[in-house]
Every structure is written in C-alpha cells, then in structure tokens.
Amino acid sequence: MDPETEFLVSKRQTGNEWELFKENIRPLKRGRNVHLLNHALKAHTDDQLKKSLLQNRRRLIQAIDEYEGDDPLQPWLDCIKWVQESFPPGGDFSGLVLIYEQCVRAFWHSDCYKDDLRYLKIWLEYAEHCSDAEVLYSFLDANEIGKTHSAFYIAYAQQMESKSKMKAANDILNLGISSNAQPIEKLRDAYKKFLARSMRRPKVTEEELKDDDLPTRSFGSVLVRGETQRQAIKTFDLGRNKLKQDKVQRAPLSIYNDNNMDVMRGHHSKPSTDSNSWHTLGGRAERNKENNAVPAKWTSYKVPQRPVPRTTRTGASAHIEVFVDEECAEKPKAPDEKDRTSSLQLRELDGRNIKKETELLRENPLRNFPSSSLPR
C-alpha cells in the first residue's frame, strides 16, 4: 500500500483541516489557535459538536450573571473571546453582536470602566459590526468613554474619513493630540499617515469646495461665471439659426385621401349620403349621451335575510375576559433590573431570534439604550 492510501485509510488529522473552510473564517487581529480552529470547524458537519458549542455558550453567559468578583468585565471578555474562537465564521448565528451590545450597555454608566482600554476595545469591535458606526463614536464622545486612549481618536477619524468627512477627521485627530491621548506616538503617526492620504485625494472631494452651483462642460472642467453667460448666449443663437433653417427647408406634407376605394375590403364603396357625418364632434352632452341614465332605486329584488336568534342583553358590568398565556405574560421587573443588563435574554433566544435581533442592532446599535444617554 502506498503512503498516500495508507494515510487516507488511517483517517489521521494533519492540522490543516481549516483549509477546507478558510473562505468562511473571520480574521482576528490577534490571530487564531489552529487546534481550536479545526475543532470549531467540525461543527459544520457534526451536529453533536454543534450542540456542545451552544451549551458551552449558555454556560459562559450564565457565568456572567453568577460572577461576584471585583472585575465584572472579565467574564464578558472571556465569553467574547470564546465565541470568537468557537464560531470562526462569525455571522448572526454566533450571537456575538448581542454579546457586544449587552456588554457595553452593562457598563456605560460605570465610572471605573470609562477609561479602561479593554472596555473601549469592545466598543470598537462592536462598531465594526454596525452599518453606521458614527452614532457609536458620538455616544462615546458625549459620555466621556475612552477619550484618554489614542485608539478612540484613530478609529473615530477613520470612520469619518471613510465617509469623506476629511475636515471632521482632521479635527478629531488634532483633538486627540491636544488631549495627550496615550500612546501619543501612535496617534501622531496616524495623523501623519492621514495627512499623506488627504494630500493624495482629489480636491473635489473636500467638504470646503462646493462648486455644484456652477455648470460644467462635458469633460468636467468648471466654467467661470462670465464664460458661462457667453457660452449660454452662443448656444442659444446656434439653436435659433438652426430652427430657422429647418422651417425654410420643410414643406407641408399632403395626405392622400381616396374616397372611392375601401382599402380594408378591397372594393369600391358607394359615396356616403348620411346626413349625420363626422364633420363636427358635437357638444359634451351629445358625446356623453350613453351616460344619461338616471340611477333609480332597486325595488324588483329583495336580498334574503338570515334569521338571527336574539339573546338577552347582559348587564353593563359584564365584560369579555381576555385570555393571557402564563408563559407569555410579562413578568414584573426587579427595581435594579432597569439599570442592569441581564444575559438571560441571550440564553433563551434561538437561532432565528438571534438573527433578527442582530439585524436590528446592526441598523440601530443604540436601540436598547435609554434616550437620556443618547447624544443630542
């Protein structure tokens, strides 16, 4: 038996099984563990492994609620890291966006985490999964979250630069440098690269240049106002001269009318002697004579009525009782649950509900935050 056949029969693993799914793996900045990656990718074909992954996720989320240590952010970080490793494709099924949202919502009002770099990185990763992350950066700016770190200003400026708001991006980077955000060397280096990119950009994309009110030539060069008037007068004169030439050269087109030949039937027709010929169309009343009928009451037919048994009228105090399912009834919330995020919702959601909630958060990442905390 040749070595290749012997290897296939033995069903040994080479550690390169991820090659079959590499197009479905979401890259991470810190890299991935190949052993954990191969183990997680087996869930595509192994239903038992897939169930065990979901059970482990529920157990980690439950550990967040049961944590009683001095750093409540740490179990969130452990859960996020595990989900990133165990669900390489990411996507809606992993529930990662929901975990991001519940984590940032749990500590946004806590002063001890506003300058924590770990908490800021969760916000930045959450912003990468949203369709428009500008509202998240505005929220962080309004609530003084992460403003002592250069990563906040760099990510915020990159978001504004991606939307061609170069002036706003420049102001954000300058604000970070003036605030001495750390590490300051990284921020200055990012600002130099931003200036180099802005110099290579065409000037028409700058916000300060607004010449949209000026007409443009077919090849795109902007006309000055004096030249605009001369160009318009010249175009009008050329059009008027051409119109005059067309009127001179055109001759009236005569239409031939054969009164003695019926073209459709192929034989001669007799001249019409009808006195009511179509020399005129007549008045409005004559043209609408088929609509002169006056509507009248239908008395010749009677719709049969179905007998309905009469019931005795109940008292005024009687009312219809609405049935409420005990499982669907809204449970009263605890007093401290209003300001505290509970991960019970994520444990009870199935795949379809997780996908729906993820899509809503992508469109509106602050939909579950109190209105008083949103930037105005």
Side-chain angles (χ1 to χ4, degrees), residues 216-276:
T216 57
R217 298 178 188 268
S218 59
F219 50 87
S221 61
V222 180
L223 299 173
V224 298
R225 298 195 178 277
E227 187 179 356
T228 301
Q229 296 178 358
R230 293 194 297 269
Q231 185 76 9
I233 294 174
K234 184 178 179 180
T235 304
F236 177 74
D237 293 339
L238 290 175
R240 185 171 58 181
N241 295 335
K242 185 177 180 181
L243 183 60
K244 289 182 179 179
Q245 294 177 2
D246 292 342
K247 287 183 178 180
V248 173
Q249 295 177 358
R250 287 180 182 176
L253 180 62
S254 59
I255 301 176
Y256 176 75
N257 185 12
D258 189 1
N259 296 326
N260 298 326
M261 176 64 70
D262 192 346
V263 180
M264 299 299 295
R265 296 184 180 180
H267 58 81
H268 292 278
S269 60
K270 297 181 180 180
S272 176
T273 58
D274 188 5
S275 59
N276 191 13

Side-chain angles (χ1 to χ4, degrees), residues 136-284:
L136 289 180
Y137 294 111
S138 300
F139 179 87
L140 295 177
D141 188 15
N143 291 277
E144 301 291 331
I145 298 176
K147 297 185 69 174
T148 59
H149 301 283
S150 60
F152 166 71
Y153 298 97
I154 294 175
Y156 196 0
Q158 289 176 352
Q159 172 66 22
M160 304 306 289
E161 183 182 359
S162 65
K163 302 174 72 173
S164 298
K165 297 181 179 181
M166 306 301 293
K167 186 177 183 302
N170 183 77
D171 295 340
I172 291 170
L173 292 174
N174 282 326
L175 178 61
I177 295 175
S178 62
S179 301
N180 197 25
Q182 298 297 321
I184 191 64
E185 294 80 8
K186 183 178 180 181
L187 185 58
R188 288 173 178 170
D189 183 61
Y191 185 54
K192 291 179 181 178
K193 294 180 180 179
F194 166 75
L195 291 178
R197 291 193 302 270
S198 61
M199 293 297 292
R200 292 194 299 265
R201 293 174 68 94
K203 293 183 178 181
V204 294
T205 59
E206 294 290 343
E207 296 176 349
E208 293 82 8
L209 299 180
K210 295 182 180 180
D211 294 333
D212 297 338
D213 57 329
L214 295 179
T216 57
R217 298 178 188 268
S218 59
F219 50 87
S221 61
V222 180
L223 299 173
V224 298
R225 298 195 178 277
E227 187 179 356
T228 301
Q229 296 178 358
R230 293 194 297 269
Q231 185 76 9
I233 294 174
K234 184 178 179 180
T235 304
F236 177 74
D237 293 339
L238 290 175
R240 185 171 58 181
N241 295 335
K242 185 177 180 181
L243 183 60
K244 289 182 179 179
Q245 294 177 2
D246 292 342
K247 287 183 178 180
V248 173
Q249 295 177 358
R250 287 180 182 176
L253 180 62
S254 59
I255 301 176
Y256 176 75
N257 185 12
D258 189 1
N259 296 326
N260 298 326
M261 176 64 70
D262 192 346
V263 180
M264 299 299 295
R265 296 184 180 180
H267 58 81
H268 292 278
S269 60
K270 297 181 180 180
S272 176
T273 58
D274 188 5
S275 59
N276 191 13
S277 60
W278 286 87
H279 294 296
T280 60
L281 296 178
R284 183 183 297 272

Side-chain angles (χ1 to χ4, degrees), residues 22 51 64 73 82 111 152 170 206 241 286 290 294 298 321-322 344 355:
K22 58 184 178 181
K51 292 180 180 179
I64 295 174
L73 180 62
W82 182 88
D111 295 334
F152 166 71
N170 183 77
E206 294 290 343
N241 295 335
E286 184 178 358
E290 67 275 7
V294 180
W298 288 9
E321 183 178 359
V322 180
L344 180 62
K355 182 177 180 180

Side-chain angles (χ1 to χ4, degrees), residues 123-124 126-140 155-156 159-160 162-163 362-363 365-366:
W123 274 102
L124 300 183
Y126 182 36
E128 293 177 358
H129 291 77
C130 300
S131 57
D132 187 8
E134 184 177 355
V135 63
L136 289 180
Y137 294 111
S138 300
F139 179 87
L140 295 177
Y156 196 0
Q159 172 66 22
M160 304 306 289
S162 65
K163 302 174 72 173
R362 290 183 192 275
E363 296 297 329
L366 300 177

Side-chain angles (χ1 to χ4, degrees), residues 61-72:
I61 295 173
Q62 185 176 1
I64 295 174
D65 290 338
E66 298 175 353
Y67 182 79
E68 297 179 356
D70 298 332
D71 188 10

Side-chain angles (χ1 to χ4, degrees), residues 65-84:
D65 290 338
E66 298 175 353
Y67 182 79
E68 297 179 356
D70 298 332
D71 188 10
L73 180 62
Q74 188 58 43
W76 285 99
L77 297 176
D78 296 338
C79 180
I80 291 173
K81 184 177 179 180
W82 182 88
V83 171
Q84 290 175 344

